[in-house]
Amino acid sequence: APAARLRASVRASARARARRDFGCGSGGRAEGAPGPWGLAGQMAEGLKRKQLKLDLGHVTEKNIGQLKKLNAATFPVHYHDHFYSDLFKGLDYCRLGYYADILVSSICCRLEERKDGGKALYIMTLSVLKPYQRRGLATQLVEWVLERARSEERRADDVREVYLHVQTSNESAIGFYKGFGFEITETIPDYYKKIEPPDCYVLRKPLSDGPAATQD
C-alpha cells in the first residue's frame, strides 16, 4: 500500500508540473493527448538527475496538437503548419515520449535520398520539456532512432547515415551528439533567420554501408 501511494503521488506531481509548465491536462494517450535540438543549449545530458524511463507512442492526427504545444514550449523557432502536415508523409522515424502518461518529449526524423546511394536519416526535431531535462530522455530517443535505422525491420530503408543541424553556439547539444559518434562535417552561415547566432553546424554519423553491415 505505501508503494502504491508513492506511485500515485509521483503521477500526480508529474501531472501538476505538466499543467504548470506545459499548459495541458493529464495528457494521457487514452485521451488522445499527444528535434533538431529543442533545448536551446539548456540541456546538458552529462548533468544527470534521476533517470526516467520513457514510453514511446506514435504521432497521429488526434495528438498532433499536443506535439505542436511541446515544440512551441521547447524551441526558439516557430514551426508552421506545413511542417506538421509533412510529418504524415513518413512517420516511421517519429515518436512521442511519455512519462507517467504525460507527453514530455519527442523526436521526428525523415528519410532523404543520398547522391552516393542509399538514404540519409535527417533528425528534424528532438525536444524534451524543461522539467524533464537531464534525465536521460533525449538519450533514449536518439538510441531508438539509431537502433531502428539499423534494424532488420527497416532494412529496406537502406539508411547509410544520420545527420542534423545544430546552432554553432549550442555546445551542450554538440557534445551530446558527439557522444553518439556524430561529427561536425560542415558549417552553414546564416542558416537560422530569427535567432542569434544564425550559423549552424552539420553533424553526421555514418551507419557504414547500410543496416546489415551494422549488426553486431
Side-chain angles (χ1 to χ4, degrees), residues 42-58:
Q42 298 175 20
M43 178 179 176
E45 283 279 306
L47 303 175
K48 294 184 182 296
R49 297 183 289 170
K50 178 183 178 181
Q51 301 301 278
L52 304 177
K53 178 67 172 67
L54 280 178
D55 293 319
L56 297 182
H58 293 271

Side-chain angles (χ1 to χ4, degrees), residues 1 10 19 23 31 33 38 41 49 52 57 85 90 95 105 113 116-117 134 156 158 163 188 197 214:
V10 168
R19 285 192 292 270
E31 299 175 10
R49 297 183 289 170
L52 304 177
S85 60
R95 288 295 185 272
S105 59
E113 297 289 342
D116 297 328
R134 301 188 304 277
D158 194 15
Y163 81 101
I188 303 178
T214 61

